[in-house]
Short mmCIF file of all heavy atoms in Angstrom, two decimals:
data_model
loop_
_atom_site.label_atom_id
_atom_site.label_comp_id
_atom_site.label_asym_id
_atom_site.label_seq_id
_atom_site.Cartn_x
_atom_site.Cartn_y
_atom_site.Cartn_z
N MET A 1 0.81 -1.20 0.00
CA MET A 1 0.00 0.00 0.01
C MET A 1 0.86 1.27 0.00
O MET A 1 0.42 2.28 -0.48
CB MET A 1 -0.90 0.00 1.23
CG MET A 1 -1.85 -1.15 1.32
SD MET A 1 -3.36 -0.97 0.61
CE MET A 1 -4.47 -0.01 1.15
N ASP A 2 2.05 1.16 0.59
CA ASP A 2 2.90 2.35 0.65
C ASP A 2 3.28 2.85 -0.74
O ASP A 2 3.49 4.04 -0.91
CB ASP A 2 4.16 2.05 1.46
CG ASP A 2 3.88 1.94 2.94
OD1 ASP A 2 2.88 2.50 3.41
OD2 ASP A 2 4.66 1.24 3.64
N GLY A 3 3.37 1.93 -1.71
CA GLY A 3 3.76 2.32 -3.05
C GLY A 3 2.62 2.83 -3.90
O GLY A 3 2.84 3.35 -5.00
N ASP A 4 1.40 2.71 -3.44
CA ASP A 4 0.22 3.16 -4.20
C ASP A 4 -0.04 4.63 -3.90
O ASP A 4 -0.46 4.98 -2.80
CB ASP A 4 -0.98 2.29 -3.82
CG ASP A 4 -2.18 2.55 -4.70
OD1 ASP A 4 -2.26 3.63 -5.36
OD2 ASP A 4 -3.09 1.69 -4.71
N GLU A 5 0.19 5.47 -4.88
CA GLU A 5 0.04 6.92 -4.68
C GLU A 5 -1.40 7.31 -4.29
O GLU A 5 -1.60 8.30 -3.62
CB GLU A 5 0.45 7.67 -5.94
CG GLU A 5 1.92 7.60 -6.23
CD GLU A 5 2.31 8.33 -7.50
OE1 GLU A 5 1.52 9.17 -7.96
OE2 GLU A 5 3.38 8.05 -8.03
N ARG A 6 -2.38 6.51 -4.74
CA ARG A 6 -3.76 6.82 -4.41
C ARG A 6 -4.03 6.66 -2.91
O ARG A 6 -4.93 7.29 -2.38
CB ARG A 6 -4.69 5.92 -5.19
CG ARG A 6 -4.64 6.12 -6.70
CD ARG A 6 -5.39 5.06 -7.41
NE ARG A 6 -4.77 3.76 -7.10
CZ ARG A 6 -5.29 2.59 -7.41
NH1 ARG A 6 -6.45 2.52 -8.03
NH2 ARG A 6 -4.66 1.48 -7.10
N MET A 7 -3.27 5.83 -2.25
CA MET A 7 -3.51 5.55 -0.84
C MET A 7 -2.52 6.26 0.08
O MET A 7 -2.71 6.28 1.29
CB MET A 7 -3.41 4.04 -0.59
CG MET A 7 -4.45 3.25 -1.37
SD MET A 7 -6.14 3.77 -1.07
CE MET A 7 -6.42 3.11 0.53
N ALA A 8 -1.48 6.83 -0.48
CA ALA A 8 -0.46 7.49 0.33
C ALA A 8 -1.08 8.61 1.18
O ALA A 8 -1.75 9.49 0.66
CB ALA A 8 0.64 8.07 -0.55
N GLY A 9 -0.90 8.53 2.48
CA GLY A 9 -1.44 9.55 3.37
C GLY A 9 -2.91 9.48 3.60
O GLY A 9 -3.49 10.40 4.18
N HIS A 10 -3.58 8.41 3.17
CA HIS A 10 -5.02 8.30 3.38
C HIS A 10 -5.26 7.98 4.85
O HIS A 10 -4.63 7.09 5.43
CB HIS A 10 -5.62 7.21 2.50
CG HIS A 10 -7.11 7.29 2.39
ND1 HIS A 10 -7.93 6.86 3.41
CD2 HIS A 10 -7.91 7.74 1.42
CE1 HIS A 10 -9.18 7.04 3.05
NE2 HIS A 10 -9.20 7.59 1.85
N HIS A 11 -6.19 8.67 5.48
CA HIS A 11 -6.39 8.51 6.91
C HIS A 11 -6.82 7.11 7.30
O HIS A 11 -6.47 6.63 8.37
CB HIS A 11 -7.38 9.56 7.43
CG HIS A 11 -8.81 9.29 7.09
ND1 HIS A 11 -9.34 9.61 5.87
CD2 HIS A 11 -9.79 8.73 7.81
CE1 HIS A 11 -10.62 9.27 5.85
NE2 HIS A 11 -10.91 8.74 7.02
N ARG A 12 -7.52 6.42 6.45
CA ARG A 12 -7.97 5.07 6.80
C ARG A 12 -6.80 4.08 6.83
O ARG A 12 -6.75 3.23 7.69
CB ARG A 12 -9.05 4.59 5.84
CG ARG A 12 -10.35 5.31 6.08
CD ARG A 12 -11.46 4.76 5.25
NE ARG A 12 -12.69 5.46 5.56
CZ ARG A 12 -13.58 5.81 4.68
NH1 ARG A 12 -13.41 5.50 3.41
NH2 ARG A 12 -14.66 6.45 5.03
N VAL A 13 -5.88 4.22 5.91
CA VAL A 13 -4.68 3.36 5.92
C VAL A 13 -3.89 3.62 7.19
O VAL A 13 -3.43 2.69 7.86
CB VAL A 13 -3.83 3.59 4.65
CG1 VAL A 13 -2.52 2.84 4.73
CG2 VAL A 13 -4.61 3.18 3.40
N LEU A 14 -3.73 4.88 7.52
CA LEU A 14 -2.98 5.25 8.71
C LEU A 14 -3.67 4.74 9.98
O LEU A 14 -3.02 4.25 10.91
CB LEU A 14 -2.79 6.77 8.79
CG LEU A 14 -1.91 7.35 7.69
CD1 LEU A 14 -2.04 8.88 7.69
CD2 LEU A 14 -0.48 6.94 7.90
N ALA A 15 -4.99 4.81 10.02
CA ALA A 15 -5.74 4.34 11.17
C ALA A 15 -5.64 2.83 11.32
O ALA A 15 -5.49 2.32 12.45
CB ALA A 15 -7.21 4.77 11.06
N VAL A 16 -5.70 2.09 10.22
CA VAL A 16 -5.57 0.64 10.29
C VAL A 16 -4.17 0.27 10.76
O VAL A 16 -3.97 -0.60 11.61
CB VAL A 16 -5.87 -0.01 8.92
CG1 VAL A 16 -5.46 -1.46 8.90
CG2 VAL A 16 -7.35 0.12 8.61
N ARG A 17 -3.17 0.96 10.23
CA ARG A 17 -1.79 0.71 10.66
C ARG A 17 -1.65 1.00 12.16
O ARG A 17 -1.00 0.25 12.88
CB ARG A 17 -0.83 1.55 9.84
CG ARG A 17 0.62 1.19 10.11
CD ARG A 17 1.56 1.82 9.11
NE ARG A 17 1.39 1.11 7.86
CZ ARG A 17 1.66 1.64 6.68
NH1 ARG A 17 2.06 2.89 6.57
NH2 ARG A 17 1.52 0.94 5.57
N ALA A 18 -2.26 2.05 12.63
CA ALA A 18 -2.22 2.39 14.05
C ALA A 18 -2.86 1.28 14.87
O ALA A 18 -2.32 0.88 15.91
CB ALA A 18 -2.95 3.72 14.31
N HIS A 19 -3.97 0.76 14.41
CA HIS A 19 -4.65 -0.33 15.12
C HIS A 19 -3.74 -1.56 15.21
O HIS A 19 -3.61 -2.15 16.29
CB HIS A 19 -5.94 -0.68 14.38
CG HIS A 19 -6.63 -1.89 14.94
ND1 HIS A 19 -7.28 -1.87 16.13
CD2 HIS A 19 -6.73 -3.15 14.46
CE1 HIS A 19 -7.79 -3.09 16.36
NE2 HIS A 19 -7.44 -3.87 15.35
N LEU A 20 -3.09 -1.91 14.12
CA LEU A 20 -2.21 -3.06 14.11
C LEU A 20 -0.98 -2.83 15.01
O LEU A 20 -0.57 -3.74 15.74
CB LEU A 20 -1.79 -3.40 12.68
CG LEU A 20 -2.93 -3.85 11.77
CD1 LEU A 20 -2.42 -3.99 10.34
CD2 LEU A 20 -3.54 -5.13 12.27
N LEU A 21 -0.45 -1.64 14.98
CA LEU A 21 0.69 -1.32 15.86
C LEU A 21 0.28 -1.41 17.33
O LEU A 21 1.02 -1.93 18.16
CB LEU A 21 1.23 0.07 15.55
CG LEU A 21 2.00 0.20 14.24
CD1 LEU A 21 2.23 1.66 13.89
CD2 LEU A 21 3.33 -0.55 14.32
N GLU A 22 -0.90 -0.91 17.63
CA GLU A 22 -1.40 -0.98 19.01
C GLU A 22 -1.55 -2.44 19.44
O GLU A 22 -1.20 -2.79 20.57
CB GLU A 22 -2.73 -0.24 19.11
CG GLU A 22 -3.25 -0.15 20.51
CD GLU A 22 -4.56 0.63 20.61
OE1 GLU A 22 -5.12 1.02 19.57
OE2 GLU A 22 -5.00 0.84 21.75
N LYS A 23 -2.06 -3.29 18.56
CA LYS A 23 -2.24 -4.70 18.86
C LYS A 23 -0.92 -5.41 19.17
O LYS A 23 -0.86 -6.34 19.94
CB LYS A 23 -2.95 -5.44 17.72
CG LYS A 23 -4.39 -5.09 17.56
CD LYS A 23 -5.17 -5.70 18.69
CE LYS A 23 -6.64 -5.58 18.44
NZ LYS A 23 -7.43 -6.11 19.52
N THR A 24 0.16 -4.95 18.52
CA THR A 24 1.47 -5.56 18.75
C THR A 24 2.19 -4.94 19.94
O THR A 24 3.30 -5.35 20.27
CB THR A 24 2.38 -5.44 17.50
OG1 THR A 24 2.64 -4.07 17.24
CG2 THR A 24 1.74 -6.10 16.29
N GLY A 25 1.59 -3.95 20.56
CA GLY A 25 2.18 -3.31 21.73
C GLY A 25 3.02 -2.07 21.42
O GLY A 25 3.60 -1.48 22.34
N ASP A 26 3.07 -1.67 20.18
CA ASP A 26 3.81 -0.47 19.81
C ASP A 26 2.91 0.76 19.97
O ASP A 26 2.39 1.30 19.01
CB ASP A 26 4.32 -0.58 18.37
CG ASP A 26 5.19 0.59 17.92
OD1 ASP A 26 5.35 1.57 18.70
OD2 ASP A 26 5.69 0.54 16.78
N THR A 27 2.76 1.20 21.21
CA THR A 27 1.87 2.31 21.47
C THR A 27 2.40 3.63 20.93
O THR A 27 1.63 4.49 20.51
CB THR A 27 1.53 2.43 22.97
OG1 THR A 27 2.76 2.51 23.71
CG2 THR A 27 0.72 1.26 23.45
N ALA A 28 3.72 3.77 20.91
CA ALA A 28 4.29 5.02 20.38
C ALA A 28 4.01 5.11 18.89
O ALA A 28 3.61 6.17 18.39
CB ALA A 28 5.80 5.04 20.63
N GLY A 29 4.18 4.01 18.15
CA GLY A 29 3.89 4.01 16.72
C GLY A 29 2.41 4.20 16.45
O GLY A 29 2.02 4.92 15.53
N ALA A 30 1.58 3.57 17.28
CA ALA A 30 0.13 3.71 17.11
C ALA A 30 -0.28 5.16 17.33
O ALA A 30 -1.09 5.70 16.56
CB ALA A 30 -0.60 2.79 18.11
N TYR A 31 0.26 5.79 18.34
CA TYR A 31 -0.05 7.18 18.64
C TYR A 31 0.29 8.07 17.44
O TYR A 31 -0.51 8.91 17.01
CB TYR A 31 0.70 7.63 19.90
CG TYR A 31 0.57 9.11 20.15
CD1 TYR A 31 -0.58 9.62 20.77
CD2 TYR A 31 1.57 9.99 19.82
CE1 TYR A 31 -0.71 10.97 21.02
CE2 TYR A 31 1.45 11.34 20.06
CZ TYR A 31 0.32 11.83 20.65
OH TYR A 31 0.17 13.18 20.90
N GLU A 32 1.50 7.90 16.91
CA GLU A 32 1.95 8.72 15.78
C GLU A 32 1.05 8.55 14.57
O GLU A 32 0.69 9.53 13.90
CB GLU A 32 3.40 8.43 15.43
CG GLU A 32 4.38 8.89 16.48
CD GLU A 32 4.30 10.38 16.78
OE1 GLU A 32 4.12 11.17 15.84
OE2 GLU A 32 4.39 10.74 17.94
N HIS A 33 0.67 7.31 14.28
CA HIS A 33 -0.19 7.06 13.11
C HIS A 33 -1.59 7.61 13.33
O HIS A 33 -2.21 8.11 12.38
CB HIS A 33 -0.20 5.58 12.78
CG HIS A 33 1.00 5.14 12.00
ND1 HIS A 33 2.22 4.92 12.59
CD2 HIS A 33 1.17 4.92 10.69
CE1 HIS A 33 3.09 4.58 11.68
NE2 HIS A 33 2.47 4.57 10.49
N LEU A 34 -2.09 7.53 14.54
CA LEU A 34 -3.42 8.10 14.81
C LEU A 34 -3.41 9.62 14.66
O LEU A 34 -4.34 10.19 14.09
CB LEU A 34 -3.89 7.71 16.21
CG LEU A 34 -4.33 6.25 16.35
CD1 LEU A 34 -4.45 5.89 17.83
CD2 LEU A 34 -5.65 6.03 15.64
N ARG A 35 -2.36 10.25 15.14
CA ARG A 35 -2.25 11.72 14.99
C ARG A 35 -2.15 12.10 13.52
O ARG A 35 -2.78 13.07 13.07
CB ARG A 35 -1.03 12.24 15.75
CG ARG A 35 -1.08 12.06 17.26
CD ARG A 35 -2.16 12.84 17.91
NE ARG A 35 -1.89 14.26 17.72
CZ ARG A 35 -2.76 15.22 17.86
NH1 ARG A 35 -3.99 14.97 18.20
NH2 ARG A 35 -2.45 16.47 17.66
N ARG A 36 -1.38 11.35 12.75
CA ARG A 36 -1.28 11.62 11.31
C ARG A 36 -2.60 11.39 10.61
O ARG A 36 -3.00 12.18 9.74
CB ARG A 36 -0.17 10.76 10.66
CG ARG A 36 1.24 11.21 11.04
CD ARG A 36 2.31 10.37 10.44
NE ARG A 36 2.15 10.21 9.00
CZ ARG A 36 2.57 9.13 8.35
NH1 ARG A 36 3.14 8.13 8.97
NH2 ARG A 36 2.41 9.05 7.04
N ALA A 37 -3.30 10.31 10.98
CA ALA A 37 -4.59 10.02 10.37
C ALA A 37 -5.57 11.16 10.65
O ALA A 37 -6.31 11.57 9.77
CB ALA A 37 -5.14 8.70 10.91
N ALA A 38 -5.55 11.68 11.86
CA ALA A 38 -6.44 12.78 12.23
C ALA A 38 -6.16 14.02 11.37
O ALA A 38 -7.08 14.74 10.98
CB ALA A 38 -6.28 13.12 13.71
N LYS A 39 -4.89 14.25 11.05
CA LYS A 39 -4.54 15.42 10.21
C LYS A 39 -5.03 15.26 8.78
O LYS A 39 -5.35 16.24 8.12
CB LYS A 39 -3.03 15.59 10.19
CG LYS A 39 -2.46 16.14 11.45
CD LYS A 39 -0.96 16.34 11.30
CE LYS A 39 -0.34 16.86 12.56
NZ LYS A 39 1.12 17.03 12.42
N PHE A 40 -5.10 14.02 8.29
CA PHE A 40 -5.41 13.80 6.88
C PHE A 40 -6.90 13.67 6.59
O PHE A 40 -7.30 13.69 5.43
CB PHE A 40 -4.68 12.58 6.34
CG PHE A 40 -3.25 12.81 6.00
CD1 PHE A 40 -2.25 12.28 6.79
CD2 PHE A 40 -2.90 13.57 4.93
CE1 PHE A 40 -0.91 12.51 6.49
CE2 PHE A 40 -1.58 13.83 4.61
CZ PHE A 40 -0.57 13.28 5.41
N THR A 41 -7.75 13.52 7.60
CA THR A 41 -9.17 13.37 7.33
C THR A 41 -9.85 14.75 7.21
O THR A 41 -9.46 15.69 7.89
CB THR A 41 -9.88 12.53 8.40
OG1 THR A 41 -11.23 12.34 8.00
CG2 THR A 41 -9.84 13.18 9.76
N ALA A 42 -10.82 14.82 6.33
CA ALA A 42 -11.58 16.07 6.16
C ALA A 42 -12.80 16.08 7.08
O ALA A 42 -13.42 17.12 7.28
CB ALA A 42 -12.03 16.20 4.71
N SER A 43 -13.14 14.94 7.64
CA SER A 43 -14.33 14.81 8.50
C SER A 43 -14.01 15.25 9.92
O SER A 43 -13.08 14.72 10.55
CB SER A 43 -14.80 13.35 8.51
OG SER A 43 -15.72 13.13 9.54
N ILE A 44 -14.77 16.19 10.42
CA ILE A 44 -14.57 16.66 11.79
C ILE A 44 -14.84 15.53 12.78
O ILE A 44 -14.10 15.33 13.75
CB ILE A 44 -15.45 17.88 12.10
CG1 ILE A 44 -14.97 19.05 11.26
CG2 ILE A 44 -15.41 18.22 13.58
CD1 ILE A 44 -15.88 20.25 11.30
N ALA A 45 -15.88 14.74 12.53
CA ALA A 45 -16.22 13.63 13.42
C ALA A 45 -15.09 12.60 13.44
O ALA A 45 -14.71 12.09 14.51
CB ALA A 45 -17.53 12.99 13.01
N ALA A 46 -14.57 12.26 12.28
CA ALA A 46 -13.47 11.29 12.19
C ALA A 46 -12.24 11.84 12.89
O ALA A 46 -11.53 11.11 13.61
CB ALA A 46 -13.17 10.94 10.76
N ARG A 47 -11.97 13.13 12.70
CA ARG A 47 -10.80 13.76 13.34
C ARG A 47 -10.93 13.67 14.85
O ARG A 47 -9.98 13.30 15.55
CB ARG A 47 -10.67 15.20 12.91
CG ARG A 47 -9.43 15.87 13.50
CD ARG A 47 -9.21 17.28 13.00
NE ARG A 47 -9.10 17.26 11.53
CZ ARG A 47 -9.88 17.98 10.72
NH1 ARG A 47 -10.81 18.78 11.21
NH2 ARG A 47 -9.74 17.92 9.42
N ARG A 48 -12.10 13.98 15.37
CA ARG A 48 -12.30 13.91 16.83
C ARG A 48 -12.13 12.48 17.35
O ARG A 48 -11.54 12.25 18.39
CB ARG A 48 -13.69 14.43 17.18
CG ARG A 48 -13.79 15.92 17.07
CD ARG A 48 -15.17 16.39 17.45
NE ARG A 48 -15.27 17.82 17.27
CZ ARG A 48 -16.39 18.47 17.02
NH1 ARG A 48 -17.53 17.80 16.90
NH2 ARG A 48 -16.40 19.77 16.85
N TYR A 49 -12.66 11.52 16.61
CA TYR A 49 -12.55 10.12 17.00
C TYR A 49 -11.08 9.69 17.03
O TYR A 49 -10.62 9.07 18.00
CB TYR A 49 -13.34 9.22 16.06
CG TYR A 49 -13.09 7.75 16.27
CD1 TYR A 49 -13.61 7.10 17.39
CD2 TYR A 49 -12.28 7.04 15.40
CE1 TYR A 49 -13.36 5.77 17.60
CE2 TYR A 49 -12.01 5.70 15.61
CZ TYR A 49 -12.54 5.07 16.71
OH TYR A 49 -12.29 3.74 16.92
N LEU A 50 -10.34 10.01 15.96
CA LEU A 50 -8.94 9.62 15.88
C LEU A 50 -8.10 10.31 16.96
O LEU A 50 -7.19 9.69 17.56
CB LEU A 50 -8.39 9.91 14.49
CG LEU A 50 -8.97 9.04 13.37
CD1 LEU A 50 -8.67 9.65 12.00
CD2 LEU A 50 -8.47 7.62 13.48
N GLU A 51 -8.38 11.57 17.21
CA GLU A 51 -7.66 12.27 18.28
C GLU A 51 -8.00 11.69 19.64
O GLU A 51 -7.12 11.58 20.52
CB GLU A 51 -8.00 13.77 18.23
CG GLU A 51 -7.37 14.46 17.04
CD GLU A 51 -7.83 15.90 16.88
OE1 GLU A 51 -8.83 16.31 17.52
OE2 GLU A 51 -7.19 16.61 16.08
N SER A 52 -9.23 11.27 19.84
CA SER A 52 -9.64 10.64 21.08
C SER A 52 -8.91 9.31 21.27
O SER A 52 -8.40 9.01 22.35
CB SER A 52 -11.16 10.40 21.09
OG SER A 52 -11.54 9.63 22.19
N ARG A 53 -8.83 8.53 20.21
CA ARG A 53 -8.09 7.26 20.28
C ARG A 53 -6.63 7.50 20.57
O ARG A 53 -5.99 6.79 21.34
CB ARG A 53 -8.25 6.46 18.99
CG ARG A 53 -9.55 5.75 18.93
CD ARG A 53 -9.59 4.56 18.01
NE ARG A 53 -8.48 3.66 18.17
CZ ARG A 53 -7.93 2.99 17.15
NH1 ARG A 53 -8.39 3.13 15.94
NH2 ARG A 53 -6.91 2.18 17.37
N ALA A 54 -6.06 8.51 19.93
CA ALA A 54 -4.66 8.84 20.17
C ALA A 54 -4.44 9.21 21.62
O ALA A 54 -3.43 8.82 22.23
CB ALA A 54 -4.22 10.00 19.25
N GLY A 55 -5.38 9.95 22.20
CA GLY A 55 -5.27 10.30 23.62
C GLY A 55 -5.30 9.08 24.52
O GLY A 55 -4.56 9.00 25.50
N ARG A 56 -6.17 8.12 24.20
CA ARG A 56 -6.25 6.89 25.00
C ARG A 56 -4.95 6.08 24.87
O ARG A 56 -4.45 5.53 25.83
CB ARG A 56 -7.45 6.06 24.59
CG ARG A 56 -8.75 6.67 25.08
CD ARG A 56 -9.93 5.68 24.98
NE ARG A 56 -10.15 5.19 23.63
CZ ARG A 56 -10.96 5.73 22.73
NH1 ARG A 56 -11.61 6.87 23.04
NH2 ARG A 56 -11.13 5.21 21.56
N VAL A 57 -4.42 6.03 23.64
CA VAL A 57 -3.16 5.29 23.43
C VAL A 57 -2.03 5.99 24.17
O VAL A 57 -1.20 5.32 24.81
CB VAL A 57 -2.84 5.18 21.92
CG1 VAL A 57 -1.43 4.70 21.69
CG2 VAL A 57 -3.84 4.25 21.25
N ALA A 58 -2.01 7.32 24.12
CA ALA A 58 -0.95 8.07 24.80
C ALA A 58 -0.97 7.83 26.31
O ALA A 58 0.07 7.79 26.97
CB ALA A 58 -1.08 9.56 24.50
N ALA A 59 -2.16 7.67 26.85
CA ALA A 59 -2.30 7.45 28.29
C ALA A 59 -1.70 6.11 28.70
O ALA A 59 -1.30 5.93 29.86
CB ALA A 59 -3.77 7.51 28.71
N ARG A 60 -1.62 5.16 27.77
CA ARG A 60 -1.09 3.85 28.07
C ARG A 60 0.39 3.71 27.70
O ARG A 60 0.99 2.67 27.94
CB ARG A 60 -1.89 2.78 27.35
CG ARG A 60 -3.29 2.65 27.87
CD ARG A 60 -4.00 1.39 27.41
NE ARG A 60 -3.60 0.90 26.11
CZ ARG A 60 -4.26 1.16 24.96
NH1 ARG A 60 -5.31 1.94 24.98
NH2 ARG A 60 -3.84 0.64 23.84
N ARG A 61 0.96 4.74 27.08
CA ARG A 61 2.37 4.68 26.66
C ARG A 61 3.26 4.66 27.88
O ARG A 61 3.04 5.42 28.82
CB ARG A 61 2.74 5.87 25.79
CG ARG A 61 2.18 5.76 24.39
CD ARG A 61 2.40 6.96 23.54
NE ARG A 61 3.69 7.63 23.72
CZ ARG A 61 4.02 8.70 23.06
NH1 ARG A 61 3.20 9.25 22.21
NH2 ARG A 61 5.19 9.26 23.26
N PRO A 62 4.31 3.83 27.85
CA PRO A 62 5.28 3.86 28.94
C PRO A 62 6.10 5.16 28.89
O PRO A 62 6.32 5.71 27.81
CB PRO A 62 6.14 2.64 28.68
CG PRO A 62 5.98 2.32 27.24
CD PRO A 62 4.63 2.85 26.84
N ASP A 63 6.50 5.64 30.03
CA ASP A 63 7.29 6.89 30.07
C ASP A 63 8.68 6.71 29.51
O ASP A 63 9.29 5.80 29.48
CB ASP A 63 7.38 7.40 31.51
CG ASP A 63 6.04 7.95 31.96
OD1 ASP A 63 5.23 8.35 31.10
OD2 ASP A 63 5.78 7.93 33.17
#
């Protein structure tokens, strides 16, 4: 997917990647992808949801 220009920077790809990173325990990576996904969406509701998820992931990140 990274090589497909149509999908590069698409918020859904970034959100799925964040979900998978979170599942593997990479909370720092998940947080970064959720923040990027929030920046790329045009939907205010989606942006709020992604930012909320990022906040929950950040709360679980080790110091």
